Amino acid sequence: MALTLTGCDQQPQQPAVTGGSPVATPGEIVVGQYGSLTGSEATFGQTTDEGVRLAVEERNATGGIKGRKIKLVTYDDRSNAQEAGTVVTRLITQDKAVAILGEVASTRSIAGGRVAQQYGVPMVSPSSTNPTVTDIGDMIFRVCFIDPFQGTVMAKFSHENLKLTKVAVLYDKGQAYSTGLSNYFQQAFKEMGGTITAVETYKGGDPDFSAQLTTIRNSGAEAIYIPGYYNEVASIALQARKLGIPNSVPLMGGDGWESPKLAEIAGEAVEGCYFSNHYAPEDERAEVKEFIAKYKAKYNGVTPGALAASGYDAANILFDAMGRAPSLSGADLAKALAETKNFKAVTGLITINKSRNADKSAVVLQMKGGTPVYVATVEPPKK
Amino acid sequence: MTTFLQTLMDAISVGSLYALIALGYTMVYGVLRFINFAHGDVFMLGAWFSFWVTTKFGWAGEGAHPSIPRALTVMAIAMALCGLLGYLIERLAYRPLRFAPRLNVLITAIGVSLLLQNTGQLKYVFGTENQRMPTLLPATTLATVAGVNITLIDVIIVAGSLVLMGVLDRLVYRSRMGMAMRAVAFDPHTASLMGVNVNRTVSATFVAGSMLAAAAGFLYATKYPNLNQPAFSTWTLLGLKAFIAAVVGGIGNIRGAMVGGLLIGLIEQFGVAYSAPLSHGYITGEFKEIYVFALLILVLLVKPSGILGRLTVEKV
């Protein structure tokens, strides 16, 4: 069909936010970043980028890495997995990036990660939580928890804190993040003795969820677990309320809900709903307070969300490894990243484990008056 | 029973929107024998113009009070803007190619579609972010029948679509302009020999089709207030489904487009609602598009001219 050619996937990407001249001056270290600065998950890329830029600026102000300045090159993948692979190739082959930062959405981290692994360039994902992302190979790292844990967090919270026994699940079958999280949640919730009343799926970009929600409504669920991205979650919430699923049936989700757009679009429909996340701005630790103060000073007083914090952490952990590595070759850098231990990051104390993931706790937030508010912390299982 | 009725209502509501968009495809095909692939984008702009007009008038945020006169004003302005756009598209892009091979026009249509999408996502036009369409119609539930909420918005969508289709039907079958349209569709050369102004008739076809698309865009935005950015795949897919509705109903046939739209709505809503329980969870909601495309294949195999279409012999 001719129309399939006319989608939003075909126009060339433009170099976005870059610091300084188009070509790196000798002595500069090029760090590449790719993210969804536009498209369906635009706020993911934008907020992560703000965190990353803050970290780069700080590091350069204090002398860079071994006296060399960092040059950040960022490309937009327009929320598209194919595009993610293309821009990572470009970062490595044309811009000669020594390391890559990105993505938030797991499907795009997998696409970009395969390229980075192939070229032997280390990649650090700030907030992709699907387990398969770091399974790609020894060059791929992340600074966040993974979904087998995140799924358990919500199962545990709904079972123990909310005392729920009947939950329905609605997830996006086209996103590795969403399918993974849905499976882990169902597994954990059933093990705790709960019942999954209905499992329904959707496809990203579909505007209409009424048929799925009708099935869920009739299944008698006390809550609906929707481990999707904020754009569709907003539409789902609006339609669920319109169908007569009251706010007393909360919607629950994961860190894919993290966006100011969720409350902006869904408004009252997501009031009282819960989601698991990487950090809460209410945290009293010194790293968190300092980060929030610096972020607010740079970005017009906006309180940073978890993705900005994760972006900031990913960049800082990468710079820390660069400082420790004997050279900036892929192998040396990967070795230094793997040795990261008890790094005092904004989103928690980060140790990179054998599978190149971070072991850390998760928080549960509740939407109140349009902003996510801290409710509980869930620790990872002790091994 | 509740599921059945609820699904039926959703299907009719969604199907009416498909039918409204499908009319534009089918009218242009009927008159010019080519598929205007930019039509789905006119629908998209109808939705975004509605958003733009509403915010320009300060009817968003604090000033958002649902009121029917406001809704009608917004819809009328969006229809006027899209009507003008439809006129310009035909005048600037397609008329110079009126006697060129059909493939050239088809490729031009794709170009126009890309142009509209990409202009739409410019920073100074609509941007690349989702926007929330302000509430113009109250979210009233008119009645609850057997556990099914009948909302004002759905009633307005179905009633509005029926009225617009009625008006179009009268325009095409009961007015002089409609007679001219049918004459041009039948044989443009003979029609022009008989004194029909072909250019004006073709323009009128584009304007009418684009206005219906704008009305569909407005109704869509009130039903699904989370507006995706102009170049997003949602819009392409909606346009494609409406095109399939036109083909299934019999392209070139106005009543066929209405039947096709409703049929597509029914197939996808019932497909999603009943597939999971009947297949014990193996087939779920993401198969929605598959039902629609399967129906297209079936119709093309069994009755290639569409349900209400007549087989025409290609003139050489």
Side-chain angles (χ1 to χ4, degrees):
Chain A
M1 282 275 73
L3 251 195
T4 54
L5 293 173
T6 66
C8 58
D9 311 343
Q10 310 295 329
Q11 102 246 57
Q13 73 286 343
Q14 303 134 355
V17 210
T18 58
S21 54
V23 181
T25 48
E28 275 184 336
I29 300 171
V30 179
V31 171
Q33 187 197 194
Y34 69 110
S36 50
L37 297 175
T38 61
S40 50
E41 284 88 45
T43 69
F44 282 1
Q46 290 162 0
T47 47
T48 305
D49 177 58
E50 286 173 354
V52 170
R53 274 189 292 147
L54 182 63
V56 171
E57 214 168 81
E58 262 177 50
R59 190 78 189 201
N60 280 342
T62 55
I65 290 159
K66 294 173 185 166
R68 293 168 71 187
K69 294 261 189 237
I70 298 152
K71 184 180 143 66
L72 179 70
V73 180
T74 306
Y75 290 127
D76 177 16
D77 60 32
R78 302 200 317 278
S79 308
N80 177 312
Q82 272 175 327
E83 194 64 28
T86 313
V87 293
V88 172
T89 311
R90 186 166 163 197
L91 282 169
I92 295 170
T93 56
Q94 288 182 24
D95 300 294
K96 311 284 178 211
V98 298
I100 307 285
L101 290 169
E103 245 271 25
V104 176
S106 298
T107 300
R108 296 194 284 275
S109 284
I110 293 168
R114 286 200 182 120
V115 177
Q117 178 69 33
Q118 188 192 334
Y119 284 100
V121 175
M123 178 180 113
V124 183
S125 163
S127 43
S128 280
T129 48
N130 188 278
T132 53
V133 172
T134 46
D135 289 345
I136 293 172
D138 57 353
M139 288 290 152
I140 314 299
F141 297 84
R142 79 177 108 210
V143 298
C144 54
F145 49 67
I146 55 174
D147 288 337
F149 169 59
Q150 192 179 192
T152 321
V153 168
M154 230 16 183
K156 211 170 156 187
F157 178 79
S158 47
H159 185 75
E160 288 173 10
N161 298 42
L162 301 178
K163 312 271 181 233
L164 301 177
T165 51
K166 290 183 286 180
V167 176
V169 176
L170 176 60
Y171 68 97
D172 181 350
K173 214 162 192 174
Q175 292 287 352
Y177 163 78
S178 196
T179 38
L181 209 43
S182 148
N183 289 338
Y184 300 121
F185 173 84
Q186 289 185 49
Q187 205 181 336
F189 194 68
K190 280 184 205 155
E191 275 169 19
M192 289 168 197
T195 318
I196 303 292
T197 58
V199 181
E200 275 293 340
T201 62
Y202 61 91
K203 207 168 119 267
D206 193 339
D208 183 87
F209 308 91
S210 38
Q212 288 97 324
L213 288 167
T214 302
T215 311
I216 288 174
R217 185 187 70 177
N218 297 342
S219 76
E222 298 165 326
I224 311 173
Y225 186 61
I226 314 169
Y229 293 132
Y230 66 90
N231 185 6
E232 279 85 19
V233 172
S235 295
I236 292 170
L238 285 167
Q239 286 171 40
R241 304 310 179 211
K242 186 171 160 274
L243 260 179
I245 300 175
N247 276 56
S248 57
V249 176
L251 312 180
M252 307 186 294
D255 58 332
W257 284 32
E258 161 74 41
S259 170
K261 278 276 169 193
L262 178 66
E264 187 189 317
I265 287 168
E268 275 293 301
V270 287
E271 194 62 15
C273 295
Y274 300 93
F275 67 102
S276 50
N277 211 344
H278 305 278
Y279 107 126
E282 292 98 325
D283 199 328
E284 292 289 320
R285 283 182 303 122
E287 294 86 34
V288 179
K289 287 190 155 171
E290 197 189 334
F291 168 69
I292 292 177
K294 283 190 279 198
Y295 188 93
K296 279 188 168 172
K298 187 167 159 67
Y299 300 109
N300 308 322
V302 177
T303 306
L307 297 181
S310 299
Y312 183 79
D313 285 349
N316 278 327
I317 284 174
L318 176 65
F319 301 155
D320 175 66
M322 283 176 162
R324 284 184 283 112
S327 84
L328 291 180
S329 73
D332 281 351
L333 202 49
K335 192 163 170 282
L337 274 168
E339 285 163 357
T340 303
K341 204 164 181 195
N342 291 332
F343 185 91
K344 279 190 181 164
V346 176
T347 57
L349 210 57
I350 291 179
T351 298
I352 301 290
N353 64 22
K354 263 190 231 141
S355 328
R356 296 172 301 282
N357 303 320
D359 289 323
K360 58 190 240 204
S361 57
V363 293
V364 175
L365 306 175
Q366 184 179 27
M367 297 300 291
K368 272 188 186 157
T371 39
V373 178
Y374 172 80
V375 186
T377 302
V378 181
E379 294 295 333
K382 293 275 172 283
K383 275 163 201 157
Chain B
M1 192 61 191
T2 311
T3 308
F4 179 83
L5 287 177
Q6 181 73 55
T7 312
L8 184 67
M9 203 193 67
D10 291 327
I12 293 174
S13 169
V14 178
S16 317
L17 288 179
Y18 290 147
L20 273 184
I21 312 169
L23 286 169
Y25 281 109
T26 222
M27 282 166 71
V28 168
Y29 185 86
V31 171
L32 288 179
R33 293 280 179 276
F34 93 95
I35 311 294
N36 177 18
F37 274 119
H39 187 67
D41 303 287
V42 174
F43 157 69
M44 173 274 289
L45 288 172
W48 274 97
F49 282 146
S50 307
F51 166 78
W52 180 73
V53 171
T54 314
T55 45
K56 273 282 161 230
F57 284 175
W59 293 344
E62 290 297 306
H65 298 295
S67 91
I68 291 178
R70 281 183 179 184
L72 287 174
T73 314
V74 170
M75 184 164 101
I77 297 176
M79 285 173 79
L81 287 171
C82 281
L84 180 69
L85 185 74
Y87 171 78
L88 289 175
I89 291 173
E90 193 276 328
R91 183 70 192 81
L92 301 174
Y94 301 146
R95 194 177 294 178
L97 296 170
R98 182 77 53 81
F99 301 105
R102 251 180 248 163
L103 190 62
N104 299 19
V105 193
L106 192 75
I107 293 168
T108 307
I110 295 172
V112 172
S113 161
L114 282 175
L115 180 77
L116 294 181
Q117 286 179 7
N118 288 294
T119 313
Q121 64 169 347
L122 287 179
K123 204 170 161 188
Y124 303 103
V125 186
F126 299 124
T128 54
E129 282 191 22
N130 292 42
Q131 297 293 348
R132 162 82 196 247
M133 175 74 189
T135 315
L136 281 173
L137 293 171
T140 327
T141 303
L142 295 175
T144 305
V145 180
V148 176
N149 288 338
I150 299 174
T151 60
L152 180 67
I153 290 174
D154 284 321
V155 170
I156 288 185
I157 286 180
V158 176
S161 306
L162 286 176
V163 168
L164 286 165
M165 289 183 224
V167 169
L168 183 77
D169 208 73
R170 277 199 82 80
L171 176 81
V172 174
Y173 294 101
R174 298 271 186 280
S175 74
R176 284 183 67 84
M177 182 48 88
M179 199 189 284
M181 280 179 188
R182 283 178 290 136
V184 171
F186 193 74
D187 187 340
H189 290 285
T190 315
S192 75
L193 287 176
M194 297 294 166
V196 173
N197 186 335
V198 175
N199 279 340
R200 197 196 295 161
T201 311
V202 171
S203 290
T205 309
F206 270 87
V207 170
S210 302
M211 286 172 81
L212 289 178
F218 168 80
L219 294 170
Y220 171 87
T222 43
K223 186 173 163 70
Y224 306 108
N226 181 4
L227 289 188
N228 277 310
Q229 66 124 319
F232 200 63
S233 57
T234 306
W235 303 108
T236 315
L237 199 61
L238 285 165
L240 205 56
K241 281 189 201 164
F243 168 62
I244 294 174
V247 174
V248 165
I251 193 142
N253 184 313
I254 286 174
R255 284 167 193 170
M258 302 177 195
V259 172
L262 282 176
L263 199 59
I264 297 282
L266 288 169
I267 287 270
E268 67 167 31
Q269 293 295 325
F270 276 95
V272 176
Y274 285 97
S275 56
L278 291 181
S279 69
H280 299 285
Y282 282 103
I283 300 171
T284 46
E286 85 285 355
F287 276 65
K288 202 171 182 176
E289 272 75 51
I290 296 181
Y291 307 128
V292 176
F293 288 99
L295 175 73
L296 174 69
I297 295 171
L298 193 72
V299 167
L300 289 180
L301 282 175
V302 177
K303 199 166 185 298
S305 53
I307 294 169
L308 296 185
R310 261 177 313 183
L311 206 61
T312 49
V313 181
E314 205 60 7
K315 279 174 290 215
V316 184

